[in-house]
Amino acid sequence: MSSAMNSEWGKWEVVIGLEIHAQLATRSKIFSGASTAYGAEPNTQTSVVDIALPGVLPVLNKEAVHMAVKFGMAIDAEVADRSVFARKNYFYPDLPKGYQISQFDLPIVGLGSIDIELENGDKKTIGVTRAHLEEDAGKSLHEDYAGMTGIDLNRAGTPLLEIVSEPDMRSAKEAVAYMKKIHTLVQYIGICDGNMQEGSFRCDANVSVRPAGQEEYGTRAELKNINSFRFVERAINIEVERQIDLIEDGGEVVQETRLYDSVKNETRSMRSKEEANDYRYFPDPDLLPVMITEEYRQQVRAELPELPEQKQQRYIDELSLSAYDAGVITASLALSSYFDTVAEKTGDAKLSANWITGELSARLNREEIEIDKAPVDAEAFAQLLSRISDNTISGKIAKDVLDAMWEGEGSADDVIESKGLKQITDTGAIEAFVDEVIANNPSQFEELKGGKDKMMGFFVGQVMKMSKGKANPAQVNELIRSKMK
Amino acid sequence: MSIDVDEVKKIARLACLNIDETDMPSYATNLSNILDLVAQMNAVDTTGVTPMSHPFDAVQRLREDEVTDFDRREDFQAIAPMTEDGLYLVPKVLD
Amino acid sequence: MSMYHTKTVTELSAMLQAGEVSSVELTRYFLDRIKNSDDKLNSFITVCEEQALAQARESDEKLKAGNAPALTGVPVAHKDIFCTDGVKTSCGSKMLDNFISPYDATVITNMRKAGVVMLGKTNMDEFAMGSSNETSYYGAVKNPWNLKAVPGGSSGGSASAVAARLAPASTGTDTGGSIRQPAAFCGITGLKPTYGRVSRFGMIAFASSLDQAGPMGQSASDCALLLNAMAGFDEKDSTSIEKSVPDYSADLDEPLAGLKIGLPKEYFDHKEGGMNADVEATVKTALEQYKSMGAELIEIELPNSNLSVPVYYVVAPAECSANLSRFDGVRYGYRCEDPKDLNDLYTRSRGEGFGAEVQRRIMVGAYALSSGYYDAYYLKAQQLRHLISDDFKKAYEKVDVIMAPVTPETAFNIGEKTDDPISMYLSDIFTIAVNLAGIPAMSIPVGFVEGMPVGMQIMGNYFEEAKLLNVAHQYQQQTDWHKQMPEEFK
């Protein structure tokens, strides 16, 4: 434990590579015409191909290829002229054919890279070794069916892009930053919905440790199927700790697959008697090589949407956002779309950015929800900000209004109306408050007049209190100053 | 090329085949003989020869991304050995 | 009593179209023949009496309405390797003894569209792995020419049924000779088309890069009619070739003058493969016949063909080892009783559901693909496959067709080779190279040795099925070997 308490793992260096599985957002499966929609009744989205009836054959989905090429272009990778599907052989009940159709020595996307931002603001380039197309497996449901396991093959045959990184990451935080970067990218280019709860975006982590300065890698363990950013960080850290403790106690790390148990916060060996898996890969004779032409590559490159980094730059250059705000907003496609709508409706990008990275993000984080689940949509949020701009309410009142909107009490205007929060701009009414406060605090008023500027805050505060926050602070200020003359 | 009983066991495990202990020696003999036959391949030097996995230099055809297959669970599970609530049942899977 | 069984498909089709016989009558006639004689042969696994009669009635209506396709109402038997909706599809295995397919193979759909009536499903070697039809879970099929002899395999039931005229024609599949060798052993005509010409969708896979379905009939002209219906591009099969299907009957009557026939010396000089001298002499007599018809005989070389058996016994088992992994007792097919755990379910369902030959091949394949052996076996075999294929390409620069024996000997006796897989494998020595290259080839009857039929092989260049059928048909215009029927089934 001693070394683990050290934030940088003492004399140990951590080496991490990630294998990310992104479900491609096609309508139909990679090799059959069954739907890929999530959440259907078990086994109702399976065709003869998906349940591997005798005699059936796979035919490749055009859109799956398109999406893989899109990804390749987005990370400036080599997209192969010729790629080949191979059979990966193993028996498991959620794998109906007894082999998974994947790609082995000739993947569709070759070497590419992506930049991540470190905590200190520096950039680091993470290599992407390859990305290949393959089919997803079904699901084993371990609820008790009279002591048996139930198999649902709806997911079997859903297209996956497996994105394999180089072992370039040196901490769990870097791994998370990389994973988030890929997560954002696949959503920007529209190839994956990124839904981690539904398993659309999952990750295996290869983790090893070595004494700092040593060139060769330590023996790695593969952590399987981690489905949230938080768990990735925790799983890696707990595994690093395990490996270091093991080595420091004179033991040796074994190359194996381990499962992260988020409840116990531990990793454990998955298949104890697993004979070093011999997958017997060979080219699938039912499928022919996939050929990609330069023309097609250029066509796909041309149709790429604005990528996160380009968008961030545009926000800085054209909307004068701070680099920080622009970075936070563009890190999520959904959030940046939200921002785009709000900024357009309010006509005030700065104000929109401040409120989205501030009040809105704080509420999302507090409730651990994504922007698409926010109870206040972009239009409603824009209306709220417009009420600040047109002086209907103050920024302070706006926070209360947002709280009410968040609780489902209606639109900004509804809340302002029903709670009577509209700012008082009637000079006569405010003047009455000011006069009353001055009358009640004559000595303080003398001090103010005598040049004790701090007293101004006191008077404004008293007036605001009396008006229940509805007086326009600027107006109050002005009136008090006029009384001082 | 000779294959012994231990190797037969290993291959049978890989191929998920339950083979009677008493049949092992005959499998070992037959597999050895087949591998001897296959060893004739070594007579020819194939350095630099492109492997051929298909009779033609054809290219994979691509299917439009359309949903063309709909629910036939009832038909499919009518021929299944064991199902419940629309699921195929197998002995408990332990990770 | 009409002797419909003495008629070819070509003749029956004409009679149906002319209204001289109805499909129902014809179908009943053959169903009766099967009922009366198949216990001697065991050539059918399933007879589809009800469905066949229903299809026949439908066909009769279409015939009456006019403009019905040529094969409308013609009863045909299908190898039990083709999935047939609502009908048991066993592939000759205990594994699929309870399997009622919920869909039709494309071949079945195409034949149905062409109006063909399905009499039933024919017996075969288990999962098409065998050369004698003795590996079938449903027992050995007998050769109608000698009930002690094998009919060949794996399409043994299809060959036996046509030879005994229990069906006017049948479908088969050929991975290493499984149409041609039984056709030769039973004295019928069989065609293995170019790989990709006939859809593999719904045809239970043995070795995916070699499997190809084709017709088995009494004559080349019958095979042409059947191939017209079977062949065609299928978008459900990625290896199906997008190439239009010619009318295979159109060129049957082309004269053969000037035809260049290549004779591979490796197929005639064969001293080690147990080549029977009388069989070779019979084939040579047929070649003389071709010469007299104006063809030119040219000696050629296929130097790597002697490696085709070893190459095949890597490629086919490797592919089958994966193809047969889906049979796991989970979604359909045989499931062992009371599995104690998942591994027990797998290993016992597969161990009990598959026969010995199938298990042998799965194991050879798993071994050849396993870590450390891939390059030495699978990759090497794929490289040699290239050389074998190139041999043919070179040969077709010089000749139009290649002729050779189909088998080194006539049909052997049941039980003769069951204990020695290798000698069984070598009986396919002349047929395998064709599958490795993917070219089309036929077997036609060219005589008898000691009362047993002898077949001759005609191999063609890619997509030259029409040429093969023309060459075979012309021979059959001059000879009547293809019209011979076994005494017991006349």
Side-chain angles (χ1 to χ4, degrees):
Chain A
M1 281 307 273
S2 57
S3 58
M5 301 313 291
N6 189 322
S7 64
E8 284 300 317
W9 306 110
K11 68 182 183 84
W12 296 97
E13 184 181 43
V14 176
V15 176
I16 303 160
L18 295 188
E19 291 169 13
I20 292 173
H21 289 88
Q23 277 186 354
L24 297 178
T26 54
R27 282 187 282 267
S28 64
K29 294 189 177 177
I30 183 166
F31 298 120
S32 89
S35 168
T36 54
Y38 179 84
E41 282 292 299
N43 291 304
T44 55
Q45 284 177 179
T46 60
S47 75
V48 292
V49 172
D50 307 311
I51 64 164
L53 283 176
V56 298
L57 296 169
V59 184
L60 183 58
N61 186 332
K62 191 187 218 167
E63 191 54 26
V65 172
H66 179 225
M67 288 176 168
V69 173
K70 235 172 157 177
F71 178 77
M73 290 326 225
I75 60 161
D76 272 325
E78 299 159 15
V79 172
D81 291 342
R82 179 175 179 275
S83 64
V84 167
F85 283 96
R87 295 182 179 179
K88 178 182 182 180
N89 294 284
Y90 65 95
F91 285 87
Y92 208 68
D94 63 14
L95 186 72
K97 293 187 294 297
Y99 58 83
Q100 179 193 30
I101 304 178
S102 181
Q103 296 189 304
F104 186 50
D105 49 356
L106 296 167
I108 186 160
V109 176
L111 197 62
S113 68
I114 196 161
D115 287 343
I116 59 169
E117 209 163 287
L118 303 181
E119 280 180 312
N120 63 9
D122 286 353
K123 279 201 170 153
K124 177 172 177 178
T125 300
I126 305 294
V128 174
T129 317
R130 58 183 283 168
H132 65 253
L133 283 166
E134 63 183 25
E135 55 181 344
D136 208 345
K139 280 182 188 162
S140 303
L141 302 166
H142 300 286
E143 294 98 82
D144 212 30
Y145 292 94
M148 307 193 82
T149 292
I151 306 295
D152 174 10
L153 298 175
N154 281 349
R155 196 179 69 177
T158 299
L160 290 179
L161 190 66
E162 179 173 332
I163 304 159
V164 183
S165 83
E166 295 280 294
D168 284 348
M169 286 151 280
R170 294 291 172 269
S171 71
K173 285 210 156 42
E174 285 184 23
V176 172
Y178 166 79
M179 191 176 171
K180 282 189 170 162
K181 207 67 195 274
I182 298 280
H183 186 245
T184 303
L185 181 65
V186 294
Q187 292 178 77
Y188 264 77
I189 60 176
I191 66 169
C192 174
D193 67 16
N195 191 323
M196 295 174 81
Q197 279 82 38
E198 292 177 3
S200 302
F201 191 85
R202 332 190 278 269
C203 151
D204 300 340
N206 288 309
V207 178
S208 67
V209 298
R210 62 181 172 190
Q214 178 181 304
E215 203 162 315
E216 74 247 49
Y217 296 124
T219 308
R220 66 170 199 265
E222 187 181 3
L223 306 180
K224 275 280 176 202
N225 259 338
I226 322 175
N227 58 3
S228 84
F229 295 121
R230 201 152 38 99
F231 288 167
V232 168
E233 187 166 350
R234 279 163 59 180
I236 290 172
N237 282 332
I238 206 77
E239 174 60 17
V240 167
E241 197 176 310
R242 185 191 72 87
Q243 291 188 10
I244 292 173
D245 284 351
L246 187 64
I247 298 169
E248 287 184 345
D249 288 348
E252 248 178 50
V253 177
V254 218
Q255 187 169 339
E256 61 179 352
T257 306
R258 298 180 69 85
L259 193 72
Y260 174 65
D261 181 333
S262 58
V263 179
K264 294 184 187 155
N265 195 30
E266 63 176 26
T267 67
R268 61 167 185 271
S269 189
M270 257 179 96
R271 285 166 219 150
S272 47
K273 58 173 185 179
E274 170 184 45
E275 295 182 19
N277 267 329
D278 188 346
Y279 290 126
R280 288 159 286 141
Y281 280 101
F282 74 106
D284 191 330
D286 288 334
L287 292 159
L288 299 164
V290 177
M291 306 301 279
I292 305 286
T293 61
E294 183 54 26
E295 191 191 352
Y296 184 73
R297 274 191 285 261
Q298 292 318 322
Q299 182 195 320
V300 174
R301 189 189 287 285
E303 75 190 28
L304 278 182
E306 188 180 36
L307 299 179
E309 277 159 20
Q310 298 165 337
K311 196 171 209 173
Q312 186 181 2
Q313 200 54 52
R314 180 167 62 82
Y315 282 177
I316 295 168
D317 296 346
E318 294 177 13
L319 303 179
S320 308
L321 300 197
S322 70
Y324 173 79
D325 281 357
V328 170
I329 292 170
T330 55
S332 151
L333 177 61
L335 195 63
S336 71
S337 308
Y338 194 99
F339 166 78
D340 288 343
T341 307
V342 176
E344 194 206 316
K345 297 257 171 202
T346 60
D348 189 341
K350 275 299 256 186
L351 179 72
S352 302
N354 285 342
W355 274 77
I356 286 172
T357 56
E359 292 301 316
L360 182 71
S361 292
R363 283 170 175 76
L364 294 174
N365 289 341
R366 194 167 60 222
E367 300 191 19
E368 292 185 2
I369 55 173
E370 296 295 323
I371 184 69
D372 55 337
K373 295 279 183 325
V376 177
D377 68 19
E379 270 80 12
F381 197 75
Q383 189 188 59
L384 173 70
L385 299 192
S386 299
R387 292 300 163 263
I388 301 174
S389 306
D390 67 11
N391 284 329
T392 307
I393 50 173
S394 65
K396 188 161 175 296
I397 292 282
K399 290 177 193 173
D400 299 336
V401 176
L402 181 56
D403 282 336
M405 292 165 73
W406 205 266
E407 295 308 318
E409 292 173 29
S411 70
D413 286 348
D414 291 346
V415 174
I416 293 165
E417 177 70 33
S418 69
K419 298 203 166 179
L421 297 174
K422 196 165 175 196
Q423 213 157 229
I424 303 168
T425 48
D426 171 2
T427 315
I430 298 173
E431 196 170 359
F433 289 133
V434 170
D435 289 344
E436 196 177 338
V437 170
I438 291 172
N440 292 343
N441 303 282
S443 59
Q444 285 89 338
F445 191 60
E446 284 312 310
E447 287 178 34
L448 177 66
K449 281 206 283 191
K452 202 168 179 191
D453 266 2
K454 271 201 283 181
M455 272 301 153
M456 182 56 95
F458 168 78
F459 278 95
V460 173
Q462 289 296 308
V463 173
M464 291 307 286
K465 200 168 166 189
M466 197 169 276
S467 72
K468 298 196 177 74
K470 293 186 291 184
N472 182 316
Q475 240 173 328
V476 173
N477 239 296
E478 206 176 301
L479 278 166
I480 295 171
R481 286 194 194 284
S482 71
K483 300 279 170 191
M484 286 159 63
K485 285 171 194 161
Chain B
M1 189 74 197
S2 182
I3 291 218
D4 60 20
V5 166
D6 278 347
E7 238 162 332
V8 173
K9 279 185 190 162
K10 213 179 100 192
I11 305 166
R13 219 169 19 241
L14 210 52
C16 273
L17 294 168
N18 179 52
I19 290 175
D20 270 0
E21 201 65 39
T22 50
D23 293 335
M24 288 284 180
S26 83
Y27 272 105
T29 309
N30 281 319
L31 294 192
S32 299
N33 290 342
I34 296 169
L35 292 177
D36 283 342
L37 170 78
V38 162
Q40 290 173 20
M41 295 196 304
N42 298 327
V44 176
D45 180 9
T46 51
T47 315
V49 178
T50 315
M52 166 176 162
S53 37
H54 274 284
F56 301 106
D57 268 340
V59 170
Q60 179 61 37
R61 199 161 13 84
L62 301 175
R63 178 176 59 78
E64 290 302 323
D65 181 25
E66 283 161 6
V67 176
T68 50
D69 288 279
F70 302 93
D71 179 21
R72 291 190 62 197
R73 182 173 82 182
E74 211 173 308
D75 295 344
F76 294 163
Q77 299 203 336
I79 53 171
M82 203 181 229
T83 59
E84 194 179 308
D85 298 343
L87 297 163
Y88 297 98
L89 294 192
V90 298
K92 204 135 199 69
V93 175
L94 304 165
D95 279 324
Chain C
M1 182 71 191
S2 311
M3 299 284 277
Y4 296 130
H5 67 282
T6 62
K7 309 279 186 214
T8 63
V9 169
T10 313
E11 289 161 345
L12 293 174
S13 158
M15 291 167 76
L16 283 160
Q17 296 281 340
E20 289 163 30
V21 63
S22 73
S23 178
V24 169
E25 191 181 352
L26 212 51
T27 302
R28 279 228 171 85
Y29 180 84
F30 282 101
L31 287 171
D32 284 346
R33 270 186 79 80
I34 296 167
K35 220 175 274 174
N36 296 333
S37 305
D38 198 44
D39 51 352
K40 292 181 209 153
L41 297 173
N42 194 28
S43 67
F44 280 84
I45 291 173
T46 305
V47 178
C48 308
E49 183 163 349
E50 249 174 68
Q51 290 103 321
L53 288 169
Q55 291 177 352
R57 277 190 289 273
E58 229 177 275
S59 300
D60 283 332
E61 271 164 40
K62 284 186 190 145
L63 284 161
K64 242 178 256 159
N67 278 332
L71 289 175
T72 308
V74 175
V76 163
H78 292 302
K79 186 176 182 178
D80 205 20
I81 199 167
F82 296 105
C83 284
T84 41
D85 197 354
V87 174
K88 171 166 138 176
T89 302
S90 76
C91 221
S93 181
K94 178 181 179 183
M95 184 59 87
L96 292 178
D97 183 45
N98 61 1
F99 179 65
I100 310 291
S101 173
Y103 79 106
D104 272 332
T106 299
V107 163
I108 300 295
T109 307
N110 288 353
M111 295 289 260
R112 190 64 212 121
K113 271 191 205 141
V116 165
V117 170
M118 175 171 75
L119 284 173
K121 309 287 297 286
T122 60
N123 204 340
M124 57 181 286
D125 278 298
E126 185 179 7
F127 286 104
M129 298 177 199
S131 309
S132 67
N133 222 303
E134 292 166 288
T135 70
S136 170
Y137 173 63
Y138 301 93
V141 176
K142 277 92 176 182
N143 191 316
W145 293 94
N146 170 5
L147 298 178
K148 290 198 181 75
V150 302
S154 66
S155 313
S158 285
S160 174
V162 173
R165 305 297 194 259
L166 304 189
S170 61
T171 53
T173 61
D174 191 317
T175 304
S178 283
I179 286 175
R180 290 160 289 153
Q181 185 252 25
F185 278 7
C186 291
I188 66 164
T189 302
L191 167 64
K192 181 211 95 81
T194 307
Y195 181 83
R197 181 75 287 187
V198 176
S199 169
R200 293 188 298 114
F201 185 79
M203 188 177 118
I204 299 178
F206 162 18
S208 312
S209 75
L210 305 168
D211 295 343
Q212 185 59 201
M216 303 175 79
Q218 300 165 43
S219 68
S221 74
D222 280 10
C223 286
L225 276 178
L226 291 168
L227 187 60
N228 280 340
M230 292 174 83
F233 168 67
D234 181 7
E235 58 183 24
K236 293 192 206 126
D237 175 0
S238 297
T239 62
S240 169
I241 303 286
E242 239 168 323
K243 194 172 161 68
S244 62
V245 179
D247 177 358
Y248 293 110
S249 305
D251 296 338
L252 291 176
D253 295 324
E254 293 292 313
L256 298 189
L259 180 79
K260 288 183 182 146
I261 300 174
L263 305 178
K265 69 181 176 63
E266 296 81 3
Y267 285 60
F268 289 93
D269 288 348
H270 212 83
K271 303 205 169 54
E272 286 159 34
M275 185 70 211
N276 178 296
D278 293 334
V279 170
E280 186 161 350
T282 308
V283 169
K284 283 184 170 158
T285 307
L287 292 171
E288 286 308 309
Q289 178 78 32
Y290 272 105
K291 214 169 159 183
S292 75
M293 292 158 67
E296 186 188 346
L297 304 183
I298 300 165
E299 192 184 81
I300 57 161
E301 283 183 6
L302 297 172
N304 294 293
S305 63
N306 61 324
L307 290 172
S308 49
V309 173
V311 168
Y312 179 84
Y313 279 96
V314 173
V315 174
E319 292 181 7
C320 96
S321 72
N323 282 335
L324 270 59
S325 292
R326 68 190 59 202
F327 302 105
D328 59 4
V330 177
R331 297 165 314 285
Y332 51 80
Y334 180 77
R335 179 176 179 125
C336 68
E337 275 187 41
D338 299 325
K340 66 176 197 296
D341 57 29
L342 184 65
N343 189 56
D344 194 41
L345 167 71
Y346 283 156
T347 59
R348 272 205 297 127
S349 297
R350 293 167 58 78
E352 293 162 18
F354 292 138
E357 179 61 23
V358 170
Q359 298 197 38
R360 265 199 291 275
R361 296 203 195 186
I362 290 175
M363 284 197 277
V364 170
Y367 182 82
L369 291 173
S370 64
S371 165
Y373 296 105
Y374 181 85
D375 288 2
Y377 289 107
Y378 194 72
L379 196 69
K380 177 89 183 176
Q382 296 288 59
Q383 290 175 313
L384 286 167
R385 194 173 169 185
H386 213 141
L387 299 181
I388 290 165
S389 174
D390 284 347
D391 283 355
F392 281 108
K393 281 183 190 140
K394 266 176 233 151
Y396 287 118
E397 287 167 10
K398 282 186 266 177
V399 300
D400 300 312
V401 294
I402 296 170
M403 292 191 185
V406 180
T407 57
E409 53 181 2
T410 57
F412 46 87
N413 283 337
I414 292 171
E416 196 180 317
K417 296 184 191 231
T418 39
D419 292 335
D420 183 2
I422 300 293
S423 75
M424 187 77 88
Y425 295 173
L426 289 172
S427 69
D428 293 332
I429 194 153
F430 298 139
T431 48
I432 282 176
V434 159
N435 299 80
L436 293 171
I439 56 172
M442 289 187 76
S443 171
I444 56 168
V446 293
F448 290 84
V449 167
E450 290 169 20
M452 295 305 285
V454 173
M456 184 172 78
Q457 194 171 195
I458 314 173
M459 299 169 250
N461 207 345
Y462 296 102
F463 299 105
E464 300 233 310
E465 287 82 2
K467 168 64 78 185
L468 293 186
L469 289 160
N470 163 231
V471 168
H473 179 71
Q474 287 304 304
Y475 178 83
Q476 291 179 341
Q477 297 303 101
Q478 309 279 322
T479 59
D480 65 355
W481 301 117
H482 63 293
K483 291 185 179 158
Q484 306 299 313
M485 270 189 277
E487 199 59 42
E488 215 170 331
F489 300 91
K490 271 188 174 162

